[in-house]
Amino acid sequence: LDALRLNMTAVDQLHPLLSDLLRAINRYPDLPVGFAGKDVIKRWLITLNKMRAAESLDEAAVRQLTFDIDSANSEFYRLISDK
C-alpha cells in the first residue's frame, strides 16, 4: 500500500513487492486455506506478468490494486485477531 501511495506504479517496482508479500503469506501458518487475499495477490501478479517491466498501471488499475490490497490487509488482520 505504501508503494502505491508513493506513486510507484511501474511493473518492475510493484512485482517484487507483491512477490515478497505472497511469499510471506505462504509462510504464515495460521491462515485458512481459502484466504481470499492470497488469490487477489496471485491475480495481480498474473496481470503484472503480462506487462512489460517499463509499463505502469493506469489510474484505474492503481485504484483497484489499492482497494484489493487494502481489503486483503483488513481480512488478514481480522483473521489473526480472531485467534
Side-chain angles (χ1 to χ4, degrees), residues 9-15 48 50-57:
T9 61
V11 171
D12 61 349
Q13 294 172 318
L14 294 174
H15 192 282
L48 294 176
K50 294 177 183 177
M51 299 171 69
R52 299 179 62 185
E55 289 184 88
S56 293
L57 297 178

Side-chain angles (χ1 to χ4, degrees), residues 16-72:
L17 298 173
L18 289 177
S19 294
D20 288 347
L21 180 58
L22 185 58
R23 275 193 291 279
I25 288 171
N26 285 332
R27 287 191 304 258
Y28 200 87
D30 294 334
L31 286 179
V33 174
F35 174 58
K38 189 174 181 178
D39 292 331
V40 166
I41 296 165
K42 284 181 184 179
R43 282 195 308 270
W44 276 105
L45 283 169
I46 290 168
T47 298
L48 294 176
N49 281 331
K50 294 177 183 177
M51 299 171 69
R52 299 179 62 185
E55 289 184 88
S56 293
L57 297 178
D58 62 21
E59 184 179 341
V62 170
R63 286 184 69 173
Q64 186 63 52
L65 177 55
T66 301
F67 176 81
D68 290 347
I69 296 296
D70 189 46
S71 298

